[in-house]
Amino acid sequence: MDQCVTVERELEKVLQKFSGYGQLCERSLEELIQYAGGLRREILQTENQDGDLSGTISLVMTQCCKRIKDTVQKLASDHKDIHSSVSRVGKAIDKNFDSDISSVGIDGCWQADSQRILNEVMVEHFFRQGMLDVAEELCQESGLSIDQSQKEPFVELNRILEALKVRVLRPALEWAVSNREMLMAQNSSLEFKLHRLYFISLLMGGTANQREALQYAKNFQPFALNHQKDIQVLMGSLVYLRQGIENSPYVHLLDANQWADICDIFTRDACALLGLSVESPLSVSFSAGCVALPALINIKAVIEQRQCTGVWNQKDELPIEVDLGKKCWYHSIFACPILRQQTTDNNPPMKLVCGHIISRDALNKMFNGSKVGIWYVCIVPDGVGISTVKKVFDIEAMVVSEMCFHASSGADCGALS
């Protein structure tokens, strides 16, 4: 992140110079235009019958030409200074970022199957962004076959989002009404907030829309139980229609940020109905890679410098822990209390009958009679074997079930060495 801050600092300097240079150019040229225009009018007024210019006018014109030349030279000099600032940005990028990242790549990563998966992720990303022509071109060039049913939801969602960005609510309202049952099943407030925004747009029309606003208020009836206070506020604002909502205690209803919020809410709820994540998997992976790449390049350089071969096998693990931030936390991480290792897809967490969770490798070693350090095992009834163990998919949910289990179970746990 320090490298990004350094480059950003240089970039801000350039932008400030661009802004100052633009203002200086505009002001200088405007002054020259006014000066030259005044001189022209003066010449036309004092011109002799023979068309000859007086010595005073000639001197003034000479001074005018010199002023124009000096101004142009100064603007050119300032423009040259901006070029040097732009070049410093490029040097800062070269200094703080490594252009060659092949050292942290994995040989043979993009085989046929992996390449196909990457192309599918890219096509989905372009669909999400509304870049349908780019997605279709990629499908043709890569030989992917995308069913029309996969494309249609993204087309509709992008059409609705584009309408919301220009404050047109009708397409989003029609979509919300048609999907009301599924939205209510996931406790979504999208439809109510869309009706609320439409009602506020009617309020902005003043007393001319009073009757229509009262009629439209009937749409709030299905949401009265969960949004009673919000509906009361909307109804109370009708009293101030004559003097204007912007001059009333209800001016907060006109906050422009709620249009950006409704776009985010629509995207979140629509993606939930389609079984998609709110953010594109490609953009999330790219952001995570940008965070992790500097640390991986540094550790790779250290490994090569110290000739520590075999420290990083580049398969399914990293040599160091990379903190991607809470925004990249999508599931819990479980570490086996016996082997002190994080579980993976090949070594998942397993739940014993007593409620304890250990890794599959630790479970296999336990039943094979291996002894590694201090084994924390459970004293369970005879006849309980490995077939009774269950694979765990959600650690957080298992915490609740384990607490409930121990509250009602008589299983005894102990420590054996």
Side-chain angles (χ1 to χ4, degrees), residues 46-58:
T46 60
E47 187 177 12
N48 296 329
Q49 296 296 330
D50 298 337
D52 297 332
L53 297 177
S54 65
T56 304
I57 296 299
S58 298

Side-chain angles (χ1 to χ4, degrees), residues 94-279:
D94 295 337
K95 180 180 179 181
N96 291 278
F97 294 97
D98 193 342
S99 58
D100 182 16
I101 60 174
S102 59
S103 60
V104 295
I106 301 177
D107 296 334
C109 175
W110 302 115
Q111 300 298 334
D113 190 51
S114 300
Q115 186 66 47
R116 179 186 58 79
I117 295 174
L118 176 62
N119 290 333
E120 290 177 354
V121 172
M122 293 173 62
V123 168
E124 180 185 328
H125 176 78
F126 290 133
F127 280 153
R128 283 172 172 262
Q129 301 299 319
M131 304 169 67
L132 305 180
D133 53 343
V134 178
E136 292 175 354
E137 183 67 23
L138 178 58
C139 289
Q140 292 179 1
E141 294 185 4
S142 61
L144 282 179
S145 178
I146 302 296
D147 190 69
Q148 189 67 19
S149 60
Q150 294 179 261
K151 175 182 174 181
E152 289 177 355
F154 295 107
V155 175
E156 183 180 14
L157 295 186
N158 279 285
R159 176 181 63 84
I160 295 173
L161 271 177
E162 290 299 322
L164 286 176
K165 290 177 181 178
V166 295
R167 302 192 176 187
V168 177
L169 293 168
R170 184 59 59 185
L173 277 169
E174 292 175 354
W175 183 88
V177 171
S178 62
N179 294 278
R180 176 178 294 174
E181 293 183 359
M182 290 186 289
L183 288 173
M184 286 188 170
Q186 63 181 26
N187 296 322
S188 171
S189 59
L190 174 63
E191 185 180 355
F192 168 74
K193 291 187 175 182
L194 289 170
H195 284 302
R196 177 180 176 274
L197 272 179
Y198 192 87
F199 186 84
I200 292 174
S201 66
L202 293 175
L203 295 179
M204 295 173 65
T207 55
N209 294 337
Q210 183 173 0
R211 184 180 297 273
E212 184 180 356
L214 288 171
Q215 184 70 20
Y216 192 82
K218 295 180 180 179
N219 290 291
F220 294 134
Q221 184 177 357
F223 313 100
L225 182 62
N226 296 326
H227 302 279
Q228 180 179 356
K229 187 174 181 180
D230 291 332
I231 295 174
Q232 289 173 347
V233 171
L234 294 173
M235 295 298 101
S237 64
L238 291 170
V239 178
Y240 294 90
L241 280 183
R242 190 174 299 277
Q243 69 183 63
I245 300 299
E246 63 276 6
N247 301 318
S248 72
Y250 296 93
V251 66
H252 65 277
L253 295 176
L254 306 181
D255 186 5
N257 292 330
Q258 57 191 343
W259 287 96
D261 294 339
I262 200 65
C263 290
D264 294 338
I265 294 172
F266 172 78
T267 302
R268 182 193 65 203
D269 292 349
C271 289
L273 289 187
L274 294 174
L276 301 171
S277 59
V278 177
E279 296 185 24

